[in-house]
Each structure stands twice: as C-alpha cells, then as structure tokens.
Amino acid sequence: MSLIRHCIIDTNTNKVVNIIDYETTQTGTPPGLESHLLCVASNTGEIDGTYSNGIITNPVRVIPDNLP
C-alpha cells in the first residue's frame, strides 16, 4: 500500500506547517487536528509554502555561493 502525501495548512497564515502521509486522500480539517488547519494532498508542497486559491507556492531556497 502506498501513502498519499498531504500538506497541512494553517488557515490563519495560509502557510504549510506540516507534511503528513495518509492511506487515503484527505480534505478539510485533518482528523484529530485543530479546526484552523486544512489538509491538502500535494506531492510537491513544502514547509513554509504559501496556500492561495488551491495552489501551494513553495518558498524560494537561497543557496549560499560562499560555502567552503
């Protein structure tokens, strides 16, 4: 059985605050979590991504160019 990756969105900030794998696709408030959290299936969403109009936009990752 394969698990389905979901982003947990804080609807107060519209930010991805966690990633959870479920056996089935979840929608709405995740079971056992607070009512201001939203569960969205996503294979590409990342922590700190922004959720708007059904789309998760991941944060830009800056790679320092001065690493030894």
Side-chain angles (χ1 to χ4, degrees):
M1 161 185 53
S2 80
L3 296 174
I4 302 166
R5 186 176 181 273
H6 292 74
C7 290
I8 305 302
I9 314 291
D10 181 333
T11 59
N12 295 324
T13 61
N14 289 327
K15 293 282 188 176
V16 177
V17 295
N18 204 351
I19 307 291
I20 299 177
D21 292 326
Y22 288 102
E23 292 180 1
T24 59
T25 300
Q26 305 290 309
T27 57
T29 301
L33 297 181
E34 298 176 33
S35 63
H36 70 279
L37 299 175
L38 176 67
C39 190
V40 177
S42 173
N43 289 323
T44 59
E46 297 179 9
I47 300 288
D48 287 334
T50 303
Y51 181 74
S52 179
N53 297 319
I55 298 171
I56 297 172
T57 303
N58 291 322
V60 175
R61 301 285 182 214
V62 177
I63 301 171
D65 60 353
N66 60 348
L67 292 176

mmCIF file of all heavy atoms in Angstrom, residues 14-57:
data_model
loop_
_atom_site.group_PDB
_atom_site.id
_atom_site.type_symbol
_atom_site.label_atom_id
_atom_site.label_comp_id
_atom_site.label_asym_id
_atom_site.label_seq_id
_atom_site.Cartn_x
_atom_site.Cartn_y
_atom_site.Cartn_z
ATOM 1 N N ASN A 14 -2.161 30.960 6.039
ATOM 2 C CA ASN A 14 -2.080 30.343 4.703
ATOM 3 C C ASN A 14 -0.696 29.785 4.404
ATOM 4 O O ASN A 14 -0.232 29.797 3.268
ATOM 5 C CB ASN A 14 -2.529 31.318 3.606
ATOM 6 C CG ASN A 14 -4.008 31.560 3.657
ATOM 7 O OD1 ASN A 14 -4.778 30.682 4.008
ATOM 8 N ND2 ASN A 14 -4.419 32.759 3.323
ATOM 9 N N LYS A 15 -0.033 29.273 5.431
ATOM 10 C CA LYS A 15 1.294 28.671 5.292
ATOM 11 C C LYS A 15 1.227 27.175 5.545
ATOM 12 O O LYS A 15 0.446 26.696 6.379
ATOM 13 C CB LYS A 15 2.275 29.281 6.302
ATOM 14 C CG LYS A 15 2.600 30.730 6.062
ATOM 15 C CD LYS A 15 3.585 30.854 4.942
ATOM 16 C CE LYS A 15 4.085 32.278 4.819
ATOM 17 N NZ LYS A 15 5.099 32.412 3.823
ATOM 18 N N VAL A 16 2.076 26.417 4.836
ATOM 19 C CA VAL A 16 2.218 24.980 5.090
ATOM 20 C C VAL A 16 3.013 24.827 6.385
ATOM 21 O O VAL A 16 4.137 25.325 6.490
ATOM 22 C CB VAL A 16 2.944 24.271 3.926
ATOM 23 C CG1 VAL A 16 3.141 22.797 4.238
ATOM 24 C CG2 VAL A 16 2.181 24.449 2.626
ATOM 25 N N VAL A 17 2.416 24.154 7.367
ATOM 26 C CA VAL A 17 3.068 23.996 8.664
ATOM 27 C C VAL A 17 3.527 22.564 8.938
ATOM 28 O O VAL A 17 4.284 22.326 9.870
ATOM 29 C CB VAL A 17 2.156 24.483 9.814
ATOM 30 C CG1 VAL A 17 1.906 25.977 9.702
ATOM 31 C CG2 VAL A 17 0.835 23.722 9.838
ATOM 32 N N ASN A 18 3.063 21.618 8.118
ATOM 33 C CA ASN A 18 3.447 20.230 8.330
ATOM 34 C C ASN A 18 3.159 19.421 7.072
ATOM 35 O O ASN A 18 2.377 19.829 6.222
ATOM 36 C CB ASN A 18 2.675 19.631 9.511
ATOM 37 C CG ASN A 18 3.367 18.455 10.147
ATOM 38 O OD1 ASN A 18 4.347 17.946 9.633
ATOM 39 N ND2 ASN A 18 2.856 18.015 11.286
ATOM 40 N N ILE A 19 3.805 18.278 6.975
ATOM 41 C CA ILE A 19 3.568 17.310 5.897
ATOM 42 C C ILE A 19 3.204 15.989 6.570
ATOM 43 O O ILE A 19 3.909 15.533 7.465
ATOM 44 C CB ILE A 19 4.831 17.101 5.025
ATOM 45 C CG1 ILE A 19 5.381 18.420 4.500
ATOM 46 C CG2 ILE A 19 4.557 16.100 3.910
ATOM 47 C CD1 ILE A 19 4.546 19.112 3.472
ATOM 48 N N ILE A 20 2.084 15.389 6.158
ATOM 49 C CA ILE A 20 1.632 14.121 6.734
ATOM 50 C C ILE A 20 1.245 13.170 5.597
ATOM 51 O O ILE A 20 0.644 13.598 4.612
ATOM 52 C CB ILE A 20 0.415 14.325 7.662
ATOM 53 C CG1 ILE A 20 0.781 15.250 8.826
ATOM 54 C CG2 ILE A 20 -0.102 12.990 8.182
ATOM 55 C CD1 ILE A 20 -0.369 15.555 9.755
ATOM 56 N N ASP A 21 1.595 11.899 5.756
ATOM 57 C CA ASP A 21 1.180 10.867 4.799
ATOM 58 C C ASP A 21 -0.041 10.140 5.353
ATOM 59 O O ASP A 21 -0.053 9.729 6.515
ATOM 60 C CB ASP A 21 2.303 9.860 4.571
ATOM 61 C CG ASP A 21 3.486 10.463 3.835
ATOM 62 O OD1 ASP A 21 3.261 11.338 2.982
ATOM 63 O OD2 ASP A 21 4.629 10.070 4.123
ATOM 64 N N TYR A 22 -1.060 9.994 4.504
ATOM 65 C CA TYR A 22 -2.282 9.268 4.867
ATOM 66 C C TYR A 22 -2.482 8.112 3.895
ATOM 67 O O TYR A 22 -1.999 8.154 2.767
ATOM 68 C CB TYR A 22 -3.511 10.180 4.786
ATOM 69 C CG TYR A 22 -3.601 11.228 5.883
ATOM 70 C CD1 TYR A 22 -3.255 12.553 5.633
ATOM 71 C CD2 TYR A 22 -4.071 10.897 7.146
ATOM 72 C CE1 TYR A 22 -3.356 13.518 6.631
ATOM 73 C CE2 TYR A 22 -4.184 11.849 8.140
ATOM 74 C CZ TYR A 22 -3.822 13.156 7.875
ATOM 75 O OH TYR A 22 -3.924 14.109 8.861
ATOM 76 N N GLU A 23 -3.245 7.120 4.316
ATOM 77 C CA GLU A 23 -3.554 5.980 3.454
ATOM 78 C C GLU A 23 -4.564 6.341 2.378
ATOM 79 O O GLU A 23 -4.594 5.724 1.321
ATOM 80 C CB GLU A 23 -4.075 4.816 4.291
ATOM 81 C CG GLU A 23 -3.025 4.214 5.191
ATOM 82 C CD GLU A 23 -3.557 3.065 6.021
ATOM 83 O OE1 GLU A 23 -4.745 2.714 5.898
ATOM 84 O OE2 GLU A 23 -2.770 2.513 6.809
ATOM 85 N N THR A 24 -5.416 7.338 2.657
ATOM 86 C CA THR A 24 -6.427 7.778 1.694
ATOM 87 C C THR A 24 -6.359 9.293 1.561
ATOM 88 O O THR A 24 -5.813 9.985 2.426
ATOM 89 C CB THR A 24 -7.851 7.395 2.152
ATOM 90 O OG1 THR A 24 -8.108 8.007 3.419
ATOM 91 C CG2 THR A 24 -8.011 5.888 2.261
ATOM 92 N N THR A 25 -6.913 9.831 0.484
ATOM 93 C CA THR A 25 -6.917 11.276 0.278
ATOM 94 C C THR A 25 -7.810 11.936 1.320
ATOM 95 O O THR A 25 -8.946 11.519 1.532
ATOM 96 C CB THR A 25 -7.416 11.623 -1.137
ATOM 97 O OG1 THR A 25 -6.541 11.011 -2.086
ATOM 98 C CG2 THR A 25 -7.430 13.117 -1.361
ATOM 99 N N GLN A 26 -7.253 12.954 1.969
ATOM 100 C CA GLN A 26 -7.970 13.708 2.987
ATOM 101 C C GLN A 26 -8.313 15.091 2.451
ATOM 102 O O GLN A 26 -7.569 15.656 1.648
ATOM 103 C CB GLN A 26 -7.101 13.867 4.239
ATOM 104 C CG GLN A 26 -6.587 12.571 4.815
ATOM 105 C CD GLN A 26 -7.685 11.753 5.442
ATOM 106 O OE1 GLN A 26 -8.454 12.234 6.263
ATOM 107 N NE2 GLN A 26 -7.770 10.491 5.050
ATOM 108 N N THR A 27 -9.418 15.653 2.920
ATOM 109 C CA THR A 27 -9.777 17.030 2.598
ATOM 110 C C THR A 27 -10.352 17.671 3.847
ATOM 111 O O THR A 27 -10.859 16.986 4.733
ATOM 112 C CB THR A 27 -10.818 17.114 1.462
ATOM 113 O OG1 THR A 27 -11.975 16.366 1.851
ATOM 114 C CG2 THR A 27 -10.272 16.591 0.156
ATOM 115 N N GLY A 28 -10.274 18.980 3.905
ATOM 116 C CA GLY A 28 -10.823 19.693 5.046
ATOM 117 C C GLY A 28 -9.924 19.608 6.258
ATOM 118 O O GLY A 28 -8.712 19.484 6.151
ATOM 119 N N THR A 29 -10.549 19.660 7.438
ATOM 120 C CA THR A 29 -9.804 19.604 8.694
ATOM 121 C C THR A 29 -9.321 18.181 8.939
ATOM 122 O O THR A 29 -10.107 17.242 8.913
ATOM 123 C CB THR A 29 -10.695 20.048 9.870
ATOM 124 O OG1 THR A 29 -11.148 21.376 9.609
ATOM 125 C CG2 THR A 29 -9.935 20.024 11.177
ATOM 126 N N PRO A 30 -8.008 18.013 9.158
ATOM 127 C CA PRO A 30 -7.476 16.669 9.381
ATOM 128 C C PRO A 30 -8.022 16.057 10.668
ATOM 129 O O PRO A 30 -8.243 16.774 11.643
ATOM 130 C CB PRO A 30 -5.967 16.900 9.505
ATOM 131 C CG PRO A 30 -5.718 18.249 8.928
ATOM 132 C CD PRO A 30 -6.970 19.029 9.143
ATOM 133 N N PRO A 31 -8.236 14.736 10.674
ATOM 134 C CA PRO A 31 -8.741 14.071 11.875
ATOM 135 C C PRO A 31 -7.803 14.296 13.059
ATOM 136 O O PRO A 31 -6.598 14.128 12.938
ATOM 137 C CB PRO A 31 -8.778 12.591 11.505
ATOM 138 C CG PRO A 31 -8.478 12.499 10.052
ATOM 139 C CD PRO A 31 -7.971 13.818 9.591
ATOM 140 N N GLY A 32 -8.377 14.745 14.179
ATOM 141 C CA GLY A 32 -7.597 14.919 15.393
ATOM 142 C C GLY A 32 -6.814 16.221 15.479
ATOM 143 O O GLY A 32 -6.125 16.449 16.467
ATOM 144 N N LEU A 33 -6.902 17.075 14.464
ATOM 145 C CA LEU A 33 -6.170 18.337 14.495
ATOM 146 C C LEU A 33 -7.133 19.511 14.666
ATOM 147 O O LEU A 33 -8.340 19.369 14.540
ATOM 148 C CB LEU A 33 -5.330 18.506 13.220
ATOM 149 C CG LEU A 33 -4.228 17.459 13.022
ATOM 150 C CD1 LEU A 33 -3.462 17.745 11.745
ATOM 151 C CD2 LEU A 33 -3.279 17.420 14.199
ATOM 152 N N GLU A 34 -6.590 20.677 14.939
ATOM 153 C CA GLU A 34 -7.397 21.861 15.223
ATOM 154 C C GLU A 34 -8.163 22.346 13.992
ATOM 155 O O GLU A 34 -7.744 22.130 12.859
ATOM 156 C CB GLU A 34 -6.493 22.965 15.753
ATOM 157 C CG GLU A 34 -5.808 22.563 17.056
ATOM 158 C CD GLU A 34 -4.830 23.609 17.536
ATOM 159 O OE1 GLU A 34 -5.062 24.805 17.312
ATOM 160 O OE2 GLU A 34 -3.838 23.206 18.151
ATOM 161 N N SER A 35 -9.274 23.047 14.239
ATOM 162 C CA SER A 35 -10.189 23.442 13.168
ATOM 163 C C SER A 35 -9.620 24.485 12.213
ATOM 164 O O SER A 35 -10.138 24.649 11.113
ATOM 165 C CB SER A 35 -11.499 23.955 13.756
ATOM 166 O OG SER A 35 -11.264 25.117 14.530
ATOM 167 N N HIS A 36 -8.550 25.190 12.577
ATOM 168 C CA HIS A 36 -7.973 26.187 11.671
ATOM 169 C C HIS A 36 -6.926 25.576 10.723
ATOM 170 O O HIS A 36 -6.278 26.285 9.962
ATOM 171 C CB HIS A 36 -7.357 27.358 12.452
ATOM 172 C CG HIS A 36 -6.110 26.997 13.199
ATOM 173 N ND1 HIS A 36 -6.158 26.375 14.417
ATOM 174 C CD2 HIS A 36 -4.819 27.152 12.885
ATOM 175 C CE1 HIS A 36 -4.910 26.165 14.831
ATOM 176 N NE2 HIS A 36 -4.081 26.627 13.904
ATOM 177 N N LEU A 37 -6.806 24.249 10.757
ATOM 178 C CA LEU A 37 -5.866 23.561 9.870
ATOM 179 C C LEU A 37 -6.628 22.911 8.717
ATOM 180 O O LEU A 37 -7.730 22.422 8.879
ATOM 181 C CB LEU A 37 -5.075 22.514 10.647
ATOM 182 C CG LEU A 37 -4.223 23.059 11.783
ATOM 183 C CD1 LEU A 37 -3.586 21.929 12.565
ATOM 184 C CD2 LEU A 37 -3.164 24.026 11.262
ATOM 185 N N LEU A 38 -6.006 22.931 7.547
ATOM 186 C CA LEU A 38 -6.599 22.397 6.328
ATOM 187 C C LEU A 38 -5.649 21.363 5.743
ATOM 188 O O LEU A 38 -4.436 21.583 5.697
ATOM 189 C CB LEU A 38 -6.817 23.540 5.329
ATOM 190 C CG LEU A 38 -7.341 23.203 3.951
ATOM 191 C CD1 LEU A 38 -8.771 22.689 4.046
ATOM 192 C CD2 LEU A 38 -7.279 24.443 3.066
ATOM 193 N N CYS A 39 -6.183 20.255 5.285
ATOM 194 C CA CYS A 39 -5.389 19.178 4.708
ATOM 195 C C CYS A 39 -5.540 19.204 3.188
ATOM 196 O O CYS A 39 -6.654 19.167 2.664
ATOM 197 C CB CYS A 39 -5.892 17.858 5.280
ATOM 198 S SG CYS A 39 -4.856 16.455 4.913
ATOM 199 N N VAL A 40 -4.407 19.261 2.474
ATOM 200 C CA VAL A 40 -4.421 19.326 1.008
ATOM 201 C C VAL A 40 -3.420 18.303 0.467
ATOM 202 O O VAL A 40 -2.234 18.346 0.809
ATOM 203 C CB VAL A 40 -4.030 20.743 0.516
ATOM 204 C CG1 VAL A 40 -3.966 20.798 -0.997
ATOM 205 C CG2 VAL A 40 -4.991 21.787 1.069
ATOM 206 N N ALA A 41 -3.885 17.385 -0.369
ATOM 207 C CA ALA A 41 -2.977 16.412 -0.990
ATOM 208 C C ALA A 41 -2.020 17.144 -1.922
ATOM 209 O O ALA A 41 -2.431 17.987 -2.717
ATOM 210 C CB ALA A 41 -3.768 15.369 -1.763
ATOM 211 N N SER A 42 -0.722 16.851 -1.778
ATOM 212 C CA SER A 42 0.284 17.509 -2.616
ATOM 213 C C SER A 42 1.566 16.694 -2.618
ATOM 214 O O SER A 42 2.092 16.348 -1.557
ATOM 215 C CB SER A 42 0.595 18.917 -2.098
ATOM 216 O OG SER A 42 1.674 19.478 -2.810
ATOM 217 N N ASN A 43 2.080 16.414 -3.799
ATOM 218 C CA ASN A 43 3.362 15.720 -3.912
ATOM 219 C C ASN A 43 4.537 16.676 -3.883
ATOM 220 O O ASN A 43 5.680 16.259 -3.732
ATOM 221 C CB ASN A 43 3.418 14.911 -5.206
ATOM 222 C CG ASN A 43 2.517 13.716 -5.157
ATOM 223 O OD1 ASN A 43 2.371 13.082 -4.118
ATOM 224 N ND2 ASN A 43 1.877 13.411 -6.269
ATOM 225 N N THR A 44 4.285 17.978 -4.043
ATOM 226 C CA THR A 44 5.388 18.932 -4.185
ATOM 227 C C THR A 44 5.420 20.031 -3.132
ATOM 228 O O THR A 44 6.408 20.741 -3.033
ATOM 229 C CB THR A 44 5.322 19.605 -5.568
ATOM 230 O OG1 THR A 44 4.067 20.271 -5.695
ATOM 231 C CG2 THR A 44 5.493 18.584 -6.682
ATOM 232 N N GLY A 45 4.352 20.211 -2.351
ATOM 233 C CA GLY A 45 4.324 21.272 -1.348
ATOM 234 C C GLY A 45 5.406 21.088 -0.298
ATOM 235 O O GLY A 45 5.793 19.971 0.027
ATOM 236 N N GLU A 46 5.921 22.212 0.223
ATOM 237 C CA GLU A 46 6.983 22.194 1.226
ATOM 238 C C GLU A 46 6.582 23.037 2.430
ATOM 239 O O GLU A 46 5.766 23.948 2.322
ATOM 240 C CB GLU A 46 8.275 22.762 0.645
ATOM 241 C CG GLU A 46 8.850 21.969 -0.498
ATOM 242 C CD GLU A 46 10.118 22.600 -1.056
ATOM 243 O OE1 GLU A 46 10.643 23.553 -0.447
ATOM 244 O OE2 GLU A 46 10.564 22.147 -2.109
ATOM 245 N N ILE A 47 7.204 22.758 3.578
ATOM 246 C CA ILE A 47 7.006 23.563 4.773
ATOM 247 C C ILE A 47 7.299 25.023 4.436
ATOM 248 O O ILE A 47 8.248 25.316 3.709
ATOM 249 C CB ILE A 47 7.932 23.079 5.914
ATOM 250 C CG1 ILE A 47 7.654 21.617 6.274
ATOM 251 C CG2 ILE A 47 7.836 23.994 7.132
ATOM 252 C CD1 ILE A 47 6.361 21.360 6.993
ATOM 253 N N ASP A 48 6.494 25.932 4.954
ATOM 254 C CA ASP A 48 6.572 27.384 4.722
ATOM 255 C C ASP A 48 6.058 27.800 3.352
ATOM 256 O O ASP A 48 6.128 28.983 3.011
ATOM 257 C CB ASP A 48 7.985 27.946 4.929
ATOM 258 C CG ASP A 48 8.367 28.003 6.394
ATOM 259 O OD1 ASP A 48 7.467 28.101 7.248
ATOM 260 O OD2 ASP A 48 9.572 27.952 6.693
ATOM 261 N N GLY A 49 5.543 26.865 2.562
ATOM 262 C CA GLY A 49 4.904 27.243 1.308
ATOM 263 C C GLY A 49 3.653 28.063 1.596
ATOM 264 O O GLY A 49 3.093 28.008 2.692
ATOM 265 N N THR A 50 3.195 28.832 0.622
ATOM 266 C CA THR A 50 2.009 29.664 0.767
ATOM 267 C C THR A 50 0.861 29.038 -0.007
ATOM 268 O O THR A 50 1.036 28.629 -1.153
ATOM 269 C CB THR A 50 2.284 31.086 0.226
ATOM 270 O OG1 THR A 50 3.407 31.629 0.924
ATOM 271 C CG2 THR A 50 1.093 31.991 0.411
ATOM 272 N N TYR A 51 -0.316 28.972 0.617
ATOM 273 C CA TYR A 51 -1.503 28.373 0.001
ATOM 274 C C TYR A 51 -2.479 29.477 -0.384
ATOM 275 O O TYR A 51 -2.882 30.297 0.445
ATOM 276 C CB TYR A 51 -2.156 27.408 0.986
ATOM 277 C CG TYR A 51 -3.366 26.709 0.442
ATOM 278 C CD1 TYR A 51 -3.234 25.689 -0.495
ATOM 279 C CD2 TYR A 51 -4.640 27.050 0.856
ATOM 280 C CE1 TYR A 51 -4.348 25.027 -0.996
ATOM 281 C CE2 TYR A 51 -5.759 26.395 0.367
ATOM 282 C CZ TYR A 51 -5.596 25.383 -0.563
ATOM 283 O OH TYR A 51 -6.701 24.733 -1.053
ATOM 284 N N SER A 52 -2.849 29.524 -1.662
ATOM 285 C CA SER A 52 -3.805 30.523 -2.140
ATOM 286 C C SER A 52 -4.538 29.973 -3.349
ATOM 287 O O SER A 52 -3.908 29.451 -4.284
ATOM 288 C CB SER A 52 -3.064 31.816 -2.519
ATOM 289 O OG SER A 52 -3.956 32.780 -3.003
ATOM 290 N N ASN A 53 -5.862 30.085 -3.340
ATOM 291 C CA ASN A 53 -6.699 29.644 -4.461
ATOM 292 C C ASN A 53 -6.413 28.206 -4.881
ATOM 293 O O ASN A 53 -6.375 27.895 -6.066
ATOM 294 C CB ASN A 53 -6.533 30.582 -5.651
ATOM 295 C CG ASN A 53 -6.997 31.990 -5.342
ATOM 296 O OD1 ASN A 53 -8.013 32.190 -4.685
ATOM 297 N ND2 ASN A 53 -6.249 32.968 -5.800
ATOM 298 N N GLY A 54 -6.166 27.337 -3.905
ATOM 299 C CA GLY A 54 -5.955 25.924 -4.194
ATOM 300 C C GLY A 54 -4.556 25.569 -4.667
ATOM 301 O O GLY A 54 -4.305 24.431 -5.036
ATOM 302 N N ILE A 55 -3.636 26.533 -4.648
ATOM 303 C CA ILE A 55 -2.271 26.296 -5.133
ATOM 304 C C ILE A 55 -1.274 26.556 -4.008
ATOM 305 O O ILE A 55 -1.358 27.560 -3.307
ATOM 306 C CB ILE A 55 -1.953 27.209 -6.334
ATOM 307 C CG1 ILE A 55 -2.902 26.889 -7.482
ATOM 308 C CG2 ILE A 55 -0.498 27.067 -6.766
ATOM 309 C CD1 ILE A 55 -2.824 27.866 -8.630
ATOM 310 N N ILE A 56 -0.303 25.650 -3.868
ATOM 311 C CA ILE A 56 0.777 25.838 -2.898
ATOM 312 C C ILE A 56 1.992 26.354 -3.658
ATOM 313 O O ILE A 56 2.459 25.724 -4.609
ATOM 314 C CB ILE A 56 1.118 24.533 -2.179
ATOM 315 C CG1 ILE A 56 -0.089 24.059 -1.376
ATOM 316 C CG2 ILE A 56 2.344 24.708 -1.287
ATOM 317 C CD1 ILE A 56 0.059 22.681 -0.779
ATOM 318 N N THR A 57 2.484 27.519 -3.246
ATOM 319 C CA THR A 57 3.692 28.100 -3.817
ATOM 320 C C THR A 57 4.810 27.914 -2.804
ATOM 321 O O THR A 57 4.737 28.429 -1.683
ATOM 322 C CB THR A 57 3.503 29.599 -4.125
ATOM 323 O OG1 THR A 57 2.388 29.744 -5.003
ATOM 324 C CG2 THR A 57 4.744 30.184 -4.761
#
